[in-house]
Amino acid sequence: MSQAQIIDGQAFAEALRGRIGEEVSGLIRDHGLKPGLAVVLVGEDPGSQIYVNSKGVATEAAGMLSVTHRLPDSTTQEALLALVAELNADPAIHGILVQFPVPAHIDPLVIQAAIHPDKDVDGLNTINAGRLATGQAGLVPCTPLGCMMLLEDALGSLRGRHAVVIGRSNLVGKPIAQLLLRADCTVTIAHSRTQELPAVARLGDILVAAVGRAEMVRGDWIKPGAAVIDVGMNRIPSRRPKAAAAGKTIVVGDVAYDEAAEVAGWITPVPRGVGPMTVACLLQNTVTAARRLNGLAV
């Protein structure tokens, strides 16, 4: 039987979206300010189509302006940059998100750099990365921001805790390490090539798994009582032989959940863990951007 307390990201995200909706209503009522989010999708990637649709629905549900630009695969980098420039200059748009991946002929780093840092609700612009690293106010990548909200809700103050982050991506690993440092944690960044990785993972009062390998982190990697945040979303064949033979898949995290839940003090499930927080934090970032761009306190 599982011993760990479940960190229900779905429930937290729903509550957060409710609070954001109330804040948006107040901004419209008191300041005539309706936060606006523009999402740009280039190409026909099925997963991206689903994500973009869900972001549009969530944005409108929060009472915000939602604008979606759907561009064909043949869109040139120059045309995409021109659209980004238009959105940068549009006072009704406070957040800009270009959905990745983009077609191979477009350089994502060039696109990220072109988005105005104060509208960069993905938090991937190098200026925002620099602000995060140097402790300045900026926009933070949505998934790490959501992870921190879940940790602080479960544990309260994180001060003095040892956090181990497995993964060093610009999207999750590096920014969450910076956020944990900002929260006065001692932080170790590990990755797939770290020597004696299980032993390093066991040092963590907090363990964040963001390595992108299905169930890589086993139960004996977990320090007893640790808080485990599983960022992974991996599709693997169904564990039911007939379903697997029919090509059906299931979604699992980077952590072997059943094993880890026997040891951890807190754990995020997959799904219903970190995933729902990403869209909610996108809305939060858009409201934050709207406030800052209009000289209002955050």
Side-chain angles (χ1 to χ4, degrees), residues 18-32:
R19 294 194 297 272
I20 291 168
E22 293 174 1
E23 184 175 2
V24 169
S25 295
L27 287 171
I28 294 171
R29 181 187 64 245
D30 299 336
H31 303 281

Side-chain angles (χ1 to χ4, degrees), residues 43-104:
E44 304 293 332
D45 181 79
S48 293
Q49 297 268 9
I50 293 170
Y51 286 136
V52 167
N53 289 339
S54 68
K55 289 167 183 173
V57 170
T59 304
E60 291 180 351
M64 299 161 61
L65 172 65
S66 175
V67 178
T68 301
H69 294 269
R70 299 177 185 272
L71 307 178
D73 274 310
S74 59
T75 300
T76 65
Q77 180 165 293
E78 290 71 24
L80 180 54
L81 289 170
L83 174 58
V84 169
E86 289 179 18
L87 296 172
N88 283 339
D90 187 343
I93 298 299
H94 307 100
I96 302 169
L97 184 150
V98 177
Q99 182 68 45
F100 295 110
V102 289

Side-chain angles (χ1 to χ4, degrees), residues 76-204:
T76 65
Q77 180 165 293
E78 290 71 24
L80 180 54
L81 289 170
L83 174 58
V84 169
E86 289 179 18
L87 296 172
N88 283 339
D90 187 343
I93 298 299
H94 307 100
I96 302 169
L97 184 150
V98 177
Q99 182 68 45
F100 295 110
V102 289
H105 64 275
I106 297 175
D107 185 341
L109 295 178
V110 171
I111 304 305
Q112 288 169 10
I115 298 171
H116 192 292
D118 293 338
K119 295 189 176 187
D120 169 36
V121 286
D122 245 353
L124 295 176
N125 185 292
T126 52
I127 291 176
N128 278 321
R131 288 170 175 170
L132 177 59
T134 54
Q136 300 177 61
L139 292 167
V140 177
C142 301
T143 300
L145 181 60
C147 291
M148 291 299 294
M149 289 182 180
L150 294 178
L151 279 169
E152 289 170 342
D153 182 66
L155 303 181
S157 173
L158 306 184
R159 178 173 295 172
R161 298 178 188 264
H162 188 169
V164 175
V165 179
I166 306 178
R168 50 183 170 175
S169 70
N170 293 332
L171 185 61
V172 180
K174 292 175 184 176
I176 198 168
Q178 294 290 346
L179 289 170
L180 287 162
L181 280 171
R182 186 179 289 186
D184 294 325
C185 291
T186 298
V187 180
T188 299
I189 301 178
H191 44 81
S192 60
R193 292 177 176 79
T194 297
Q195 293 185 10
E196 300 182 9
L197 180 55
V200 173
R202 277 192 295 272
L203 298 173

